[in-house]
Amino acid sequence: MADIVREIERKYAATDETRLPDLTGVDRVAAVVARGVEHLDAVYYDTADQRLAGAGITLRRRTGGRDAGWHLKLPVAPEEGAGTEPGRTRDEVRAPLSDTPPPELTALVRARVLGRELVPVVRLRTRRTVRVLQDAAGAPLAEVAVDAVRAQRTAPAPAKRGGGPARARWCEIEVELAGAGEGGAALLDAVGRALAAAGIRPAGAASKLARALAETETGTETAGGSGDAVRAPGGGKAGRAPGGQGRDAAVGTAGDIVLRYVREQVRVIVELDPAVRRELPDSVHRMRVATRRLRSAFRSYAKVLDRTVTDPLGVELRWLAGELGVARDREVLAARLRAGLAELPRPLRLGPVAARLRGWSRRSHRGARREVLATLDGARYLALLEALDALVDDPPLLKAAARPAPETLARAVRKDYRRLAGRVTAALAAPAGPVRDQALHSARKAAKRTRYAAEAAVPALGRPAETFVRRTKRVQQVLGDHQDSVVARAALRELAVQAHRAGEAGFTFGLLYGREEARAADRERELPDVWRQVSPAGLRARSGA
């Protein structure tokens, strides 16, 4: 079983002559304790085209020090207000030493490497001098390491021709929190200011590997220096930054805007793969939403991207969303039923309702979890990722892709709106019961597609599109709550039947069923008012159509 450690650190440039200032009294630091010297020997693995490095991921086998073994470092998105100075937060997944990369780690990068072989690319040997910053009680706050690094490339650089392995050497300072407790960012800020006052600047490379790859690419040995000019390594297609979303993005052609959105969704799917495997909160839901957004973009912007290429991908994306949905839907349903039960006064909770619900939830979760992992480990999923990678690399653009974005994208959004309007009208006119439930569910799916199409168009259409997205999302939420009630009632009936067969009282399940029925009726009454606020008129005015 792999161990996981949250690593929060900052790096600073140094030379052989650099001396650390006294950090006693900085923030909560009461003492600085020398812990001696460590000799570390690490071999970093990657694909030949450095797909892991391009995504900010490192996989290494390290001996020496207190944590010898295999280490996989996965980037963690920084939180707002997490300090004023650039830092680096990663989850380090550890496994015991072995001759080859452990399967539990390689599974977490499968979506990145896409079947390519992981080979040694760089060897780093480090002489590390460690000092521990302690508080008044003697508890460790952070470690400050002065590292003298020697790097040797063990595989040729992708663009290099001939010559032997390149080498580089340098010094750097690494400040790493001893834990992820409260006040960590403030401590790092304070230490950073003390180092800056001593003339020590932040490092130019995000990691040792990034610097080693950059400095050994030329085939000549380099030494010392601050590293301010070090660039990040190239990373192949999987490591490309897809560009941001929002009004600040430059408006270009329809193809520019749609591809930006498509690349963003592909990036999210790939980045969330290890999070889903590790069962991180909300990861399944976010990955499923990205698959739906991508599929919706293919369908909504069929005038921009060739459907002969995107339609088969849409089928596979629908399959993936369905497989992920088994876990996500069970998760949402269980939380809804637990919340409903908690709202009931205790005198109305008759029989072992909570225990039965917990057992049902655990069984559902285990089964769904197995299915998700089997999906991510399967050949069909890997083939889908390969196909998406190829599409991003060589997009199948049609003639309309070269047209101005506002007009083309607004036309597509309005088309989706008309489709949604027809379904909402049909649902409101349908007779109450299963027929209306199905019609409302169909309208919900159309609302998602319309919303996602408008999201993709925001960079071109600006505030009117943002308003349209917000109001369409509200319609989707009302319809979604209604559909969740339909699913919850089916589950409650199943639980009530199980309780009856076991000789337990079914009163509470029936009561919860009735409350869900009333909730669905409330959503049906709410829908007309929410729907009336949705209009594509602003999109028409902005596009000039």
Side-chain angles (χ1 to χ4, degrees):
M1 186 71 176
D3 296 323
I4 300 174
V5 177
R6 176 61 57 89
E7 175 188 83
I8 305 175
E9 66 181 19
R10 294 180 185 172
K11 291 182 178 293
Y12 298 86
T15 66
D16 294 336
E17 290 74 34
T18 300
R19 296 294 178 265
L20 284 174
D22 183 7
L23 298 175
T24 306
V26 173
D27 195 67
R28 293 165 287 148
V29 179
V32 179
V33 179
R35 207 181 57 203
V37 176
E38 299 175 347
H39 294 274
L40 312 176
D41 192 341
V43 177
Y44 288 77
Y45 285 68
D46 205 337
T47 59
D49 57 352
Q50 298 174 14
R51 298 174 74 87
L52 297 186
I57 297 171
T58 61
L59 174 63
R60 74 185 178 199
R61 182 187 189 276
R62 189 165 79 179
T63 57
R66 293 159 293 125
D67 59 350
W70 285 92
H71 304 153
L72 173 66
K73 298 191 179 189
L74 301 168
V76 175
E79 297 179 2
E80 292 185 7
T84 59
E85 188 177 316
R88 188 172 181 86
T89 302
R90 296 184 290 182
D91 277 347
E92 183 174 280
V93 188
R94 298 175 176 176
L97 281 173
S98 60
D99 292 336
T100 57
E104 60 266 38
L105 300 190
T106 57
L108 295 176
V109 296
R110 186 169 292 146
R112 291 287 183 187
V113 302
L114 297 179
R116 292 159 177 80
E117 184 182 7
L118 288 167
V119 298
V121 292
V122 166
R123 181 183 182 187
L124 297 183
R125 284 171 286 184
T126 303
R127 184 182 187 274
R128 168 167 289 181
T129 305
V130 182
R131 295 171 178 83
V132 180
L133 309 185
Q134 297 180 344
D135 64 14
L141 298 172
E143 288 187 1
V144 180
V146 179
D147 292 340
V149 186
R150 289 179 295 156
Q152 177 180 346
R153 188 178 283 270
T154 56
K160 185 182 172 185
R161 295 290 182 270
R167 292 175 170 83
R169 55 186 175 88
W170 68 89
C171 291
E172 66 180 38
I173 298 169
E174 185 177 289
V175 183
E176 181 177 347
L177 289 180
E182 185 177 350
L187 173 63
L188 290 178
D189 285 344
V191 171
R193 288 192 293 270
L195 295 178
I200 299 173
R201 296 173 295 165
S207 68
K208 287 182 176 66
L209 176 63
R211 181 164 185 174
L213 290 173
E215 293 199 6
T216 62
E217 198 170 39
T218 61
T220 58
E221 182 166 343
T222 60
S226 67
D228 290 343
V230 173
R231 61 179 178 82
K237 296 187 286 291
R240 279 196 305 263
Q245 299 291 321
R247 287 173 294 170
D248 292 337
V251 177
T253 65
D256 292 335
I257 302 301
V258 172
L259 283 178
R260 184 180 301 143
Y261 189 78
V262 165
R263 286 174 177 146
E264 174 69 8
Q265 307 320 312
V266 174
R267 181 192 66 80
V268 170
I269 292 171
V270 173
E271 284 192 355
L272 285 173
D273 178 284
V276 171
R277 293 176 185 275
R278 294 169 56 200
E279 210 170 357
L280 297 186
D282 209 36
S283 56
V284 170
H285 171 62
R286 291 165 57 205
M287 188 183 217
R288 188 186 187 193
V289 169
T291 64
R292 286 175 164 172
R293 282 184 165 128
L294 188 54
R295 179 169 175 256
S296 292
F298 290 160
R299 298 169 71 188
S300 297
Y301 296 109
K303 299 290 187 183
V304 176
L305 296 172
D306 188 351
R307 290 191 60 175
T308 63
V309 176
T310 60
D311 278 359
L313 290 175
V315 170
E316 295 304 285
L317 288 167
R318 181 178 184 180
W319 160 78
L320 178 58
E323 295 297 309
L324 295 171
V326 174
R328 172 60 182 173
D329 290 345
R330 288 288 191 176
E331 178 185 325
V332 171
L333 177 57
R336 187 183 183 100
L337 297 183
R338 286 194 299 269
L341 181 62
E343 291 171 359
L344 291 180
R346 287 192 176 276
L348 299 181
R349 304 178 202 172
L350 304 184
V353 178
R356 179 166 291 280
L357 182 55
R358 283 195 300 271
W360 174 85
S361 178
R362 282 195 298 267
R363 289 190 299 273
S364 299
H365 175 77
R366 285 195 298 267
R369 175 70 179 159
R370 286 193 298 269
E371 290 180 23
V372 166
L373 290 178
T375 296
L376 298 186
D377 288 335
R380 185 174 181 179
Y381 171 68
L382 188 63
L384 171 59
L385 295 183
E386 290 273 16
L388 292 175
D389 202 45
L391 178 136
V392 168
D393 186 52
D394 186 18
L397 297 175
L398 298 175
K399 184 177 180 181
R403 295 172 184 162
E407 177 182 352
T408 303
L409 272 56
R411 184 180 296 115
V413 175
R414 291 198 303 270
K415 181 179 179 181
D416 280 348
Y417 167 81
R418 290 193 295 270
R419 179 171 171 269
L420 169 60
R423 292 196 181 186
V424 171
T425 300
L428 292 174
V435 173
R436 182 182 294 173
D437 290 344
Q438 184 57 44
L440 289 169
H441 183 44
S442 179
R444 178 196 183 191
K445 291 188 285 186
K448 286 183 181 180
R449 174 172 164 177
T450 305
R451 171 194 163 192
Y452 296 153
E455 280 181 352
V458 165
L461 303 180
R463 191 172 298 278
E466 290 180 338
T467 301
F468 184 80
V469 168
R470 185 171 61 253
R471 293 177 178 175
T472 306
K473 181 179 180 180
R474 180 57 187 150
V475 172
Q476 177 190 329
Q477 290 171 333
V478 170
L479 293 170
D481 193 38
H482 183 279
Q483 177 61 18
D484 288 347
S485 175
V486 172
V487 175
R489 278 178 274 160
L492 288 166
R493 186 182 186 282
E494 175 189 336
L495 287 165
V497 169
Q498 293 174 3
H500 176 73
R501 289 173 178 169
E504 301 166 3
F507 170 81
T508 302
F509 289 117
L511 183 58
L512 291 172
Y513 187 102
R515 288 164 67 95
E516 286 291 352
E517 207 168 34
R519 190 169 178 175
D522 288 343
R523 299 293 83 77
E524 291 179 22
R525 285 190 291 271
E526 183 181 3
L527 178 60
D529 287 339
V530 174
W531 171 243
R532 275 193 289 270
Q533 298 178 39
V534 181
S535 170
L539 304 182
R540 181 179 296 109
R542 175 66 178 261
S543 70

